[in-house]
Structures are given as C-alpha cells and as structure tokens.
Amino acid sequence: MVELLPILIPALVAGLLVVSTHVPLGYQVLRRGIIFIDLAIAQVAALGIVVAHQLHLMHSFHGVEYLLSVVFAMFAGLLLALLEKHLQKELEAIIGCFYVLAATAGLLVLAHDPHGGELLKQTLSGSILWATWDMLAWHGIVVVAVLALLWWKRSLLNGIWFYPIFAIAITSEVDLVGVYLVFASLIMVPLATNRLPSGAKRLVIAYGLSILAYAAGLLISAWWDLPSGATLVWCLAIVALAFALLAKRKVTAV
C-alpha cells in the first residue's frame, strides 16, 4: 500500500477540493429544493468536454476542454436562473429535462466515435486516481476563488448568482472526478446532516464525514482494484447513512 501513496495522496487532495465547495453548495441545493441541478449542470459540463474532444480542440492549447465545458455549464446556469423567475413551480422538471437532453446529446455527438464509450465512461465515473499535482493546482485556483467569493459575500447564494457560481464549481469538479461522484459529494452528506442546526459545527461534521468517506473509498479502491468513482460514491452513501441512523438513534434515546 505504501507504494500507492504517490497516487492516493493527489487523489485525496482532489477529493478535498471537491467537498470544500460541495458541502456549502449542497445545503443551498437542499434549501432550494432543486436536488438534481447538480446532475443536470454536471452533465452539461461533460457535454462540453465531449464536444471539445470531437472538435479536436484538446490538442490546440491546454485546458481548452475545460474552458468549453465552463461555457456550456455557465449557459445552462444562466438559463436556469432566468427560468427560476418565471417557472418556479416547474423548475425541478425543467432541470430533469436539461439532464436527459445533455446526456443524450453526448451519445449523439459520439455516435460514430470508436472511442466514444470510453470518453463517456470517463466523464461519468471520472479518473480521480490519475489526478496530478499540475491538475490540482489549476482546479485549486478555481476552488479557492469560489470559496473566497462565498466568504466575501455569502448572500450571493440566495439570489440568481447562485447558478453561475454553482456552474463554475461543478465544471471544475466534473473534470476531476466525474458526474456521479460530483452528485454524490454534493447531496449525500449534506442530506444526512441537513437537520442539524446550521452553523460552523454542522459544516465541520459534514466536512469530516466527507473526508472520511473519500479516504476510505480510495483505500478500498486501491486495495481491491475497484473502480474509484463507483467505490467513492458507495462510501459516501454508507458514511452518510451510518451518521443519519446514529443521529436518529441519539435523538430517540433522548
């Protein structure tokens, strides 16, 4: 296991970058009742990566696939922000439509690509174990910028600016860990801790549970040679469920 540390440590840092933004954003998603916005915007961002691949833009300059996926995700975020004003009651259904349209658009774009299946698998499941320090430095800048913005003016999460901020954070993390793990990181632990009193203590607990799940998932994935993305999703679910059951048992005992 020691020889795997050069792979596991960057992967764990990638996980820390993901949960640093996903925990506060996850509580906001739950408060707004738009649970599947993460899946929808993440899938739109993944579509940007697929389009960049098909246009062979990845070879033109470094990071072009990320920039195109940001454009796609920002467009989706701004459109949802506009729709929220006029179609509040139908917003969750519209978000679901965004997801299925982006997912099927990816299938259509890659229909004649012999390597399309592998690219789709990577955008969904991610490749966190292949994270490099160069990649982490770039994504770290994005994460720090998002966190600084939220710390400077947290009220931005309550208005329409939530959508573009969310889109920027999600795009960076889809590129790192894939659509499935982005969604699991956003929803599972915040859902398990959502009934705790809001404040610093709840954030600390949520961050702690998320880090525990990522550490356990990476070790299990490496030890048994399992797909890292799928393993991490299940570890997040198990840790979140275990905490929810323990918290409920404690309340019942009182």
Side-chain angles (χ1 to χ4, degrees), residues 1 26 28 31 43 69 71 92 101 122 125 164 166-167 169 190 196 215 230 232 243:
M1 186 63 71
Q28 183 67 14
R31 188 185 71 80
Q43 194 65 59
S69 62
V71 171
E92 185 73 352
L101 287 170
Q122 184 175 338
S125 300
F166 188 83
L196 297 176
L232 285 164
F243 177 82

mmCIF file of all heavy atoms in Angstrom, residues 1 26 28 31 43 69 71 92 101 122 125 164 166-167 169 190 196 215 230 232 243:
data_model
loop_
_atom_site.group_PDB
_atom_site.id
_atom_site.type_symbol
_atom_site.label_atom_id
_atom_site.label_comp_id
_atom_site.label_asym_id
_atom_site.label_seq_id
_atom_site.Cartn_x
_atom_site.Cartn_y
_atom_site.Cartn_z
ATOM 1 N N MET A 1 0.823 -1.217 0.000
ATOM 2 C CA MET A 1 0.000 0.000 0.000
ATOM 3 C C MET A 1 0.856 1.265 0.000
ATOM 4 O O MET A 1 0.462 2.284 -0.546
ATOM 5 C CB MET A 1 -0.916 -0.017 1.225
ATOM 6 C CG MET A 1 -1.913 1.126 1.266
ATOM 7 S SD MET A 1 -3.090 1.119 -0.092
ATOM 8 C CE MET A 1 -4.102 -0.292 0.336
ATOM 9 N N GLY A 26 -24.220 22.136 -1.328
ATOM 10 C CA GLY A 26 -25.210 21.080 -1.117
ATOM 11 C C GLY A 26 -26.343 21.522 -0.208
ATOM 12 O O GLY A 26 -27.525 21.241 -0.492
ATOM 13 N N GLN A 28 -27.388 24.536 0.141
ATOM 14 C CA GLN A 28 -28.177 25.510 -0.613
ATOM 15 C C GLN A 28 -29.103 24.799 -1.602
ATOM 16 O O GLN A 28 -30.261 25.212 -1.787
ATOM 17 C CB GLN A 28 -27.234 26.460 -1.357
ATOM 18 C CG GLN A 28 -27.932 27.561 -2.120
ATOM 19 C CD GLN A 28 -28.629 28.562 -1.216
ATOM 20 O OE1 GLN A 28 -28.391 28.598 -0.021
ATOM 21 N NE2 GLN A 28 -29.508 29.368 -1.775
ATOM 22 N N ARG A 31 -31.973 23.456 0.358
ATOM 23 C CA ARG A 31 -32.865 24.528 0.785
ATOM 24 C C ARG A 31 -33.761 24.982 -0.363
ATOM 25 O O ARG A 31 -34.942 25.266 -0.175
ATOM 26 C CB ARG A 31 -32.045 25.721 1.299
ATOM 27 C CG ARG A 31 -32.889 26.804 1.953
ATOM 28 C CD ARG A 31 -32.056 28.006 2.334
ATOM 29 N NE ARG A 31 -31.627 28.750 1.159
ATOM 30 C CZ ARG A 31 -32.399 29.620 0.493
ATOM 31 N NH1 ARG A 31 -33.655 29.815 0.859
ATOM 32 N NH2 ARG A 31 -31.929 30.258 -0.551
ATOM 33 N N GLN A 43 -23.798 17.260 -16.169
ATOM 34 C CA GLN A 43 -23.931 16.588 -17.452
ATOM 35 C C GLN A 43 -23.730 17.558 -18.613
ATOM 36 O O GLN A 43 -23.152 17.201 -19.638
ATOM 37 C CB GLN A 43 -25.313 15.936 -17.559
ATOM 38 C CG GLN A 43 -25.442 14.944 -18.701
ATOM 39 C CD GLN A 43 -24.550 13.741 -18.537
ATOM 40 O OE1 GLN A 43 -24.635 13.006 -17.553
ATOM 41 N NE2 GLN A 43 -23.669 13.522 -19.505
ATOM 42 N N SER A 69 -16.285 23.510 -21.512
ATOM 43 C CA SER A 69 -17.274 22.961 -20.581
ATOM 44 C C SER A 69 -17.790 24.041 -19.632
ATOM 45 O O SER A 69 -18.957 24.024 -19.241
ATOM 46 C CB SER A 69 -16.682 21.782 -19.783
ATOM 47 O OG SER A 69 -15.599 22.180 -18.986
ATOM 48 N N VAL A 71 -18.176 27.194 -20.520
ATOM 49 C CA VAL A 71 -19.141 27.938 -21.348
ATOM 50 C C VAL A 71 -20.478 27.213 -21.378
ATOM 51 O O VAL A 71 -21.537 27.827 -21.188
ATOM 52 C CB VAL A 71 -18.585 28.128 -22.771
ATOM 53 C CG1 VAL A 71 -19.666 28.699 -23.687
ATOM 54 C CG2 VAL A 71 -17.373 29.042 -22.756
ATOM 55 N N GLU A 92 -37.888 22.129 -11.189
ATOM 56 C CA GLU A 92 -37.267 20.817 -10.988
ATOM 57 C C GLU A 92 -37.472 19.926 -12.214
ATOM 58 O O GLU A 92 -36.561 19.202 -12.626
ATOM 59 C CB GLU A 92 -37.848 20.146 -9.741
ATOM 60 C CG GLU A 92 -37.194 18.818 -9.362
ATOM 61 C CD GLU A 92 -35.801 18.960 -8.761
ATOM 62 O OE1 GLU A 92 -35.240 20.076 -8.763
ATOM 63 O OE2 GLU A 92 -35.262 17.956 -8.296
ATOM 64 N N LEU A 101 -31.445 15.766 -21.817
ATOM 65 C CA LEU A 101 -31.053 16.312 -23.109
ATOM 66 C C LEU A 101 -29.527 16.359 -23.252
ATOM 67 O O LEU A 101 -28.982 16.027 -24.314
ATOM 68 C CB LEU A 101 -31.650 17.707 -23.298
ATOM 69 C CG LEU A 101 -33.160 17.750 -23.564
ATOM 70 C CD1 LEU A 101 -33.670 19.184 -23.494
ATOM 71 C CD2 LEU A 101 -33.487 17.132 -24.921
ATOM 72 N N GLN A 122 -15.515 7.978 -18.780
ATOM 73 C CA GLN A 122 -14.631 8.855 -18.006
ATOM 74 C C GLN A 122 -15.365 10.085 -17.487
ATOM 75 O O GLN A 122 -15.151 10.506 -16.349
ATOM 76 C CB GLN A 122 -13.441 9.283 -18.864
ATOM 77 C CG GLN A 122 -12.431 10.132 -18.089
ATOM 78 C CD GLN A 122 -11.212 10.446 -18.919
ATOM 79 O OE1 GLN A 122 -10.897 9.758 -19.885
ATOM 80 N NE2 GLN A 122 -10.520 11.520 -18.552
ATOM 81 N N SER A 125 -17.761 8.537 -14.589
ATOM 82 C CA SER A 125 -17.120 7.936 -13.413
ATOM 83 C C SER A 125 -15.863 8.676 -12.976
ATOM 84 O O SER A 125 -15.408 8.491 -11.852
ATOM 85 C CB SER A 125 -16.773 6.468 -13.701
ATOM 86 O OG SER A 125 -17.938 5.737 -13.998
ATOM 87 N N PRO A 164 -24.644 30.709 -11.739
ATOM 88 C CA PRO A 164 -23.322 30.758 -12.378
ATOM 89 C C PRO A 164 -22.189 30.339 -11.449
ATOM 90 O O PRO A 164 -21.230 29.699 -11.893
ATOM 91 C CB PRO A 164 -23.183 32.228 -12.805
ATOM 92 C CG PRO A 164 -24.221 32.981 -12.055
ATOM 93 C CD PRO A 164 -25.327 32.019 -11.788
ATOM 94 N N PHE A 166 -22.436 28.152 -9.049
ATOM 95 C CA PHE A 166 -22.588 26.707 -9.000
ATOM 96 C C PHE A 166 -22.013 26.067 -10.264
ATOM 97 O O PHE A 166 -21.310 25.052 -10.200
ATOM 98 C CB PHE A 166 -24.073 26.374 -8.865
ATOM 99 C CG PHE A 166 -24.362 24.928 -8.602
ATOM 100 C CD1 PHE A 166 -24.292 24.409 -7.323
ATOM 101 C CD2 PHE A 166 -24.717 24.085 -9.643
ATOM 102 C CE1 PHE A 166 -24.564 23.085 -7.080
ATOM 103 C CE2 PHE A 166 -24.991 22.749 -9.414
ATOM 104 C CZ PHE A 166 -24.913 22.241 -8.128
ATOM 105 N N ALA A 167 -22.292 26.673 -11.411
ATOM 106 C CA ALA A 167 -21.819 26.129 -12.686
ATOM 107 C C ALA A 167 -20.293 26.100 -12.746
ATOM 108 O O ALA A 167 -19.697 25.121 -13.210
ATOM 109 C CB ALA A 167 -22.382 26.946 -13.843
ATOM 110 N N ALA A 169 -18.138 25.989 -10.178
ATOM 111 C CA ALA A 169 -17.639 24.984 -9.246
ATOM 112 C C ALA A 169 -17.842 23.577 -9.797
ATOM 113 O O ALA A 169 -16.941 22.731 -9.740
ATOM 114 C CB ALA A 169 -18.330 25.131 -7.893
ATOM 115 N N PRO A 190 -24.500 16.271 2.954
ATOM 116 C CA PRO A 190 -25.400 17.361 3.368
ATOM 117 C C PRO A 190 -26.814 16.880 3.680
ATOM 118 O O PRO A 190 -27.463 17.394 4.601
ATOM 119 C CB PRO A 190 -25.374 18.301 2.157
ATOM 120 C CG PRO A 190 -24.023 18.115 1.578
ATOM 121 C CD PRO A 190 -23.757 16.641 1.725
ATOM 122 N N LEU A 196 -29.295 19.000 11.323
ATOM 123 C CA LEU A 196 -28.504 19.583 12.395
ATOM 124 C C LEU A 196 -28.650 21.100 12.362
ATOM 125 O O LEU A 196 -28.903 21.676 11.299
ATOM 126 C CB LEU A 196 -27.025 19.210 12.226
ATOM 127 C CG LEU A 196 -26.666 17.725 12.317
ATOM 128 C CD1 LEU A 196 -25.184 17.538 12.028
ATOM 129 C CD2 LEU A 196 -27.027 17.153 13.677
ATOM 130 N N ALA A 215 -11.371 9.108 2.005
ATOM 131 C CA ALA A 215 -10.179 8.359 2.416
ATOM 132 C C ALA A 215 -10.444 6.854 2.384
ATOM 133 O O ALA A 215 -9.644 6.073 1.842
ATOM 134 C CB ALA A 215 -9.739 8.798 3.813
ATOM 135 N N ALA A 230 -17.000 4.714 -8.583
ATOM 136 C CA ALA A 230 -18.118 3.946 -8.037
ATOM 137 C C ALA A 230 -17.896 3.613 -6.565
ATOM 138 O O ALA A 230 -18.825 3.676 -5.743
ATOM 139 C CB ALA A 230 -18.306 2.663 -8.847
ATOM 140 N N LEU A 232 -16.153 5.296 -4.362
ATOM 141 C CA LEU A 232 -16.297 6.513 -3.561
ATOM 142 C C LEU A 232 -17.766 6.896 -3.385
ATOM 143 O O LEU A 232 -18.168 7.352 -2.307
ATOM 144 C CB LEU A 232 -15.522 7.656 -4.201
ATOM 145 C CG LEU A 232 -14.001 7.581 -4.024
ATOM 146 C CD1 LEU A 232 -13.289 8.503 -5.001
ATOM 147 C CD2 LEU A 232 -13.615 7.928 -2.589
ATOM 148 N N PHE A 243 -24.231 7.862 9.667
ATOM 149 C CA PHE A 243 -24.368 9.044 10.529
ATOM 150 C C PHE A 243 -25.833 9.372 10.770
ATOM 151 O O PHE A 243 -26.228 9.691 11.901
ATOM 152 C CB PHE A 243 -23.674 10.253 9.897
ATOM 153 C CG PHE A 243 -23.850 11.515 10.706
ATOM 154 C CD1 PHE A 243 -23.038 11.771 11.797
ATOM 155 C CD2 PHE A 243 -24.847 12.424 10.389
ATOM 156 C CE1 PHE A 243 -23.214 12.919 12.565
ATOM 157 C CE2 PHE A 243 -25.036 13.571 11.140
ATOM 158 C CZ PHE A 243 -24.209 13.825 12.237
#
